Amino acid sequence: MNVKEPLFIIGFMGAGKTSVGEKLAEICGYSVIDTDQEIARKMKMEIPQIFAQYGEERFREIETEVLVELSQKSVITTTGGGIILKKANREVLKTGKTIFLQAAPQTVLERVGLDSGRPLIQNKSLEEITEMYQTRLPLYLECASFVVDTTDLSIEEVANTINKEMNVC
């Protein structure tokens, strides 16, 4: 079964985008594709390797290509936390329903911790994470059709809230 219109799930690292997208897809019987996983598949290497070998700028170029491709498909698309940094990506995100999953920086730090698969957050203090989050927050909100604070909710609660409020299924 396909989504009715493009559905994007955005948010800062550790907000639960991939997990919530998978749960929402399960509830509704839809397909879900994660932009980071799609980039890794296309490049045949993991995200930290792409950053190390090609740099963030090239990663962001590939990310835009993948987002544009996925926006043409009837799937739930979950994104990387930095996808909103490029204006072109924000314009694509505005073409469908875009759910912004929000989580407090302290929660992000607790959830992500020292995850080596997240090159932009490795070895960052709470203050640095908070600053990065605050810089990105207006960009997330610019694209958002609906906002859910995931700080104190389970994955299932977030997915059910999105479905109820956005009539996804």
Side-chain angles (χ1 to χ4, degrees):
M1 192 168 168
N2 296 326
V3 294
K4 302 164 197 154
E5 64 182 292
L7 178 68
F8 306 104
I9 300 179
I10 64 171
F12 199 67
M13 295 170 261
K17 300 175 299 290
T18 302
S19 299
V20 168
E22 289 170 353
K23 178 54 79 175
L24 189 58
E26 178 186 315
I27 291 168
C28 297
Y30 296 155
S31 297
V32 62
I33 300 176
D34 181 81
T35 57
D36 283 352
Q37 292 172 5
E38 187 67 8
I39 292 166
R41 186 191 66 73
K42 282 185 119 172
M43 296 296 290
K44 296 179 176 57
M45 59 178 69
E46 296 302 314
I47 301 301
Q49 294 173 296
I50 297 169
F51 269 77
Q53 188 168 339
Y54 298 104
E56 183 177 0
E57 186 175 333
R58 178 66 183 128
F59 172 82
R60 297 292 174 205
E61 290 169 2
I62 300 163
E63 184 178 57
T64 298
E65 293 168 13
V66 166
L67 180 63
V68 169
E69 289 171 18
L70 293 178
S71 73
Q72 304 304 311
K73 297 184 179 197
S74 297
V75 298
I76 296 172
T77 300
T78 60
T79 69
I83 203 157
I84 44 76
L85 296 174
K86 285 182 72 174
K87 183 170 179 45
N89 293 347
R90 293 193 304 275
E91 294 305 316
V92 172
L93 292 168
K94 292 176 192 177
T95 65
K97 289 182 180 177
T98 300
I99 314 303
F100 168 41
L101 300 186
Q102 192 169 17
Q106 178 64 44
T107 302
V108 168
L109 186 59
E110 290 167 7
R111 290 179 182 170
V112 175
L114 302 172
D115 184 347
S116 62
R118 299 171 191 264
L120 292 180
I121 204 168
Q122 273 185 304
N123 305 314
K124 295 274 195 277
S125 67
L126 176 58
E127 292 75 25
E128 291 169 308
I129 291 168
T130 301
E131 183 179 326
M132 184 185 295
Y133 177 78
Q134 291 300 330
T135 300
R136 293 179 178 189
L137 182 59
L139 303 175
Y140 292 126
L141 293 172
E142 175 187 329
C143 303
S145 308
F146 184 64
V147 179
V148 181
D149 186 337
T150 67
T151 303
D152 296 318
L153 299 176
S154 70
I155 292 164
E156 190 162 352
E157 288 171 323
V158 174
N160 286 331
T161 298
I162 293 168
N163 185 35
K164 179 181 173 199
E165 296 296 324
M166 298 298 293
N167 192 27
V168 175
C169 298

